[in-house]
């Protein structure tokens, strides 16, 4: 471990000089193998390098909370609007039709619900991820949590080892405990630790100074939506994240807890792939809601 005394505060983010990509639309992915790129190209549109991922893995920690009580009723009808589904293998096998043409980012760490997200998770067998044809494996990393950081970082690099072996990209998911400050400095640390340990995609949260988080992370970032907020605010969040360099969103509650989830996911999709500004997207949401 380098001596942290007198470390220079990070500042040279080169915001105006995006990291170069060569022959592949996702940053940091040019040198990956064919199978890895092929799976990433199923998740992120090759046209714009962006993705609208729909997250519904909440039940594995929270149980049947609002919006995921009946995934067959609430989530399955939305799949046609999403680029990727993030869920657990239990829900995938039990509820998601295998005929549905959607890549799956498989929640690949499993554990108890005790102490919310910062728990004692272990990574599932990669053979099971292959069996369900996962396009990516998602593993949570609790940077800064003394009790679980080492275990979760080990989970990540184990997933990366097996993912590299079989050509399956790994998404590092930055968990945020209540004691951690949700600022750009923290998210730069957490996302960079995921990337340095081999994550091919990093999922994190939007924050002020987000463009520095993106710039300092050498692989694509997608943001979680977080707690339910009014639809206009969630669209603004998605817009800001994309404008400041995110490759997409992996949104859950702000879609499936919306007053009109189908209208909401289509409006989020317009922000991500069609360059809609928040007001335009919110108008779209209202129009679709009115015409239902
Ligand atoms: C955290 C996750 C969840 O899928 C994510 O937080 C869900 O999205 P949202 O915050 O938008 O409901 O990866 O472990």
């Amino acid at each position: 471990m380098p001596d942290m005394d007198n470390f220079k505060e990070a500042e040279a983010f080169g915001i105006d000089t995006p990291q170069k990509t060569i022959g592949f639309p996702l940053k940091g992915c040019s040198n990956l193998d064919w199978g890895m790129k092929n799976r990433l190209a199923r998740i992120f549109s090759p046209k714009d390098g962006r993705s609208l991922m729909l997250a519904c893995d909440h039940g594995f920690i929270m149980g049947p909370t609002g919006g995921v009580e009946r995934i067959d009723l609430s989530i399955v009808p939305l799949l046609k609007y999403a680029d990727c589904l993030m869920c657990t293998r239990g829900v995938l096998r039990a509820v998601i039709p295998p005929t549905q043409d959607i890549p799956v980012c498989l929640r690949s760490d499993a554990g108890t619900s005790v102490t919310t997200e910062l728990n004692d998770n272990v990574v599932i067998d990669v053979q099971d991820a292959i069996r369900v044809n996962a396009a990516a494996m998602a593993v949570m990393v609790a940077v800064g949590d003394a009790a679980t950081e080492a275990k979760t970082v080990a989970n990540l690099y184990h997933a990366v080892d097996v993912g590299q072996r079989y050509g399956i990209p790994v998404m590092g998911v930055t968990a945020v405990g209540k004691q951690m400050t949700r600022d750009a400095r923290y998210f730069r640390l957490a996302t960079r630790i995921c990337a340095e340990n081999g994550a091919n995609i990093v999922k994190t949260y939007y924050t002020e100074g987000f463009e520095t988080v993106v710039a300092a992370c050498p692989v694509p970032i997608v943001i979680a939506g977080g707690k339910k907020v009014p639809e206009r605010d969630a669209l603004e969040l998605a817009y800001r994240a994309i404008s400041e360099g995110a490759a997409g969103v992996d949104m859950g509650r702000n879609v499936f807890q919306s007053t009109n989830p189908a209208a909401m996911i289509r409006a989020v999709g317009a922000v991500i792939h069609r360059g809609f500004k928040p007001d335009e997207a919110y108008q779209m949401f209202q129009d679709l809601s009115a015409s239902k």
Side-chain angles (χ1 to χ4, degrees), residues 50-51 206 210 223 237-249 271-272:
R50 292 184 184 160
S51 185
Y206 181 81
F210 183 71
I223 60 148
L237 178 80
Y239 175 78
R240 285 195 189 188
I242 293 294
S243 309
E244 293 172 35
V249 303
V271 170
I272 292 171

Side-chain angles (χ1 to χ4, degrees), residues 99-269:
T99 48
Q100 187 85 40
D101 184 19
I102 189 161
V104 171
C105 179
L106 190 68
R107 179 84 198 210
S108 298
D109 54 339
T112 69
S113 64
V114 180
T115 66
T116 65
E117 280 200 298
L118 308 180
N119 53 17
D120 208 16
N121 285 7
V122 292
V123 180
I124 65 168
D125 188 339
V126 68
Q127 290 184 12
D128 211 34
I130 295 167
R131 213 173 278 127
V132 297
N133 197 25
M137 294 188 293
V139 175
M140 191 264 296
V141 181
V143 172
D145 181 62
T148 54
E149 176 175 330
K151 177 77 182 294
T152 57
V153 169
N155 282 346
L156 176 65
Y157 63 71
H158 171 68
V160 169
D161 280 346
V162 294
Q164 290 290 338
R165 192 177 309 147
Y166 297 108
I168 303 179
V170 172
M171 180 164 86
V173 180
T174 65
V176 185
K178 287 197 170 53
Q179 76 281 13
M180 295 169 199
T181 314
R182 291 175 173 237
D183 62 9
R185 194 170 200 245
Y186 172 72
F187 288 121
R188 285 196 300 267
L189 174 73
T191 55
R192 184 63 174 258
I193 285 176
C194 287
E196 297 267 357
N197 279 290
N200 307 104
I201 313 164
V202 180
K203 175 172 175 173
T204 194
Y205 292 86
Y206 181 81
T207 183
E208 287 303 317
F210 183 71
E211 69 277 13
T212 67
V213 179
V214 171
C217 181
V219 297
I221 287 186
V222 297
I223 60 148
K227 284 184 193 146
K228 173 78 175 71
V229 292
E231 279 78 2
R232 171 70 178 67
D233 294 355
L235 292 166
E236 173 93 34
L237 178 80
Y239 175 78
R240 285 195 189 188
I242 293 294
S243 309
E244 293 172 35
V249 303
D250 186 15
M251 203 174 253
R253 288 162 287 181
N254 277 291
V255 170
F256 59 68
Q257 293 181 350
S258 167
T259 52
N260 190 325
M264 186 59 183
I265 194 170
R266 291 173 71 183
V268 176

